[in-house]
Amino acid sequence: MKWSFIIQQKLKAALLLGGIMVLIILATLLSRYNMQGIDRSFSSIYKDRLIPATTIIYLTENLYGKRLSLEKHLFARDVHSAQAVRIALNEHNKSIDSLIGVFEKTYLVDQEAKSLNVFKTQVDEYRLLENRILRLCAAGMAEEGRALFAGTGARTFQGTIANLNELAGIQSDIGKNLMKESKSNIASFGIISFLQIALAVIIGLMILVLIRNSQIISKPKISGEKSQYFNLN
């Protein structure tokens, strides 16, 4: 009877411990998945949101640089500055093309890709206007060039800036969503960690109970005959 009881107790304990171990393994896998999700979120915030956000700043700076360079040329009335302004505009254009290339290498959502394509079209339109203005100035039609600069040129320029502001807003919205996702993963990780600690405590208590039961079962008993002899004496 004693051995059958011990075997039953060990079998129950083994099944219970096995179930707890399975839970711990599953909790560990979930924790690893959550950590990977947190890593992906923070990597995406840097690679796909922070880099585009800084790229937008540099794009804005180059666009304003082009605008100011052309404006100085138009109102300085200096014919010799034509070559200098062409060089300056060309440098800004190269920088803008490079920055757009950096932007396109990041992960783009549908709205972001559409907005970027519109921006590229606007940039090309503004370049054509710049070349037209410079040709008017070179032909001695500076007044017409200034009118084009202040009219259609200003509207196109404002359109490019508005488009960049739209892209910046998209970065902000997606960044907020990534932060919410990271917080959710962190909360899940905290719950799973608490569960792992609770399971470890349960295993420890079970081990203590098993040790106590084994000591009680294996403890030698004093036989009845020995007790009788002891009383007779």
Side-chain angles (χ1 to χ4, degrees), residues 93-163:
N93 288 333
K94 287 181 180 179
S95 180
I96 289 172
D97 290 339
S98 177
L99 291 168
I100 291 175
V102 171
F103 205 115
E104 289 177 327
K105 289 180 180 179
T106 62
Y107 173 75
L108 303 175
V109 298
D110 292 339
Q111 184 182 359
E112 198 174 14
K114 291 178 182 178
S115 185
L116 183 60
N117 287 331
V118 172
F119 172 74
K120 290 165 64 177
T121 301
Q122 290 173 333
V123 167
D124 291 337
E125 290 177 358
Y126 192 70
R127 287 180 185 177
L128 293 175
L129 284 170
E130 287 174 337
N131 292 329
R132 185 179 171 187
I133 291 169
L134 289 174
R135 286 196 300 269
L136 288 172
C137 292
M141 305 170 65
E143 193 62 34
E144 289 80 353
R146 284 190 286 270
L148 183 60
F149 176 83
T152 307
R155 289 191 295 271
T156 305
F157 176 78
Q158 290 171 359
T160 59
I161 298 301
N163 195 261

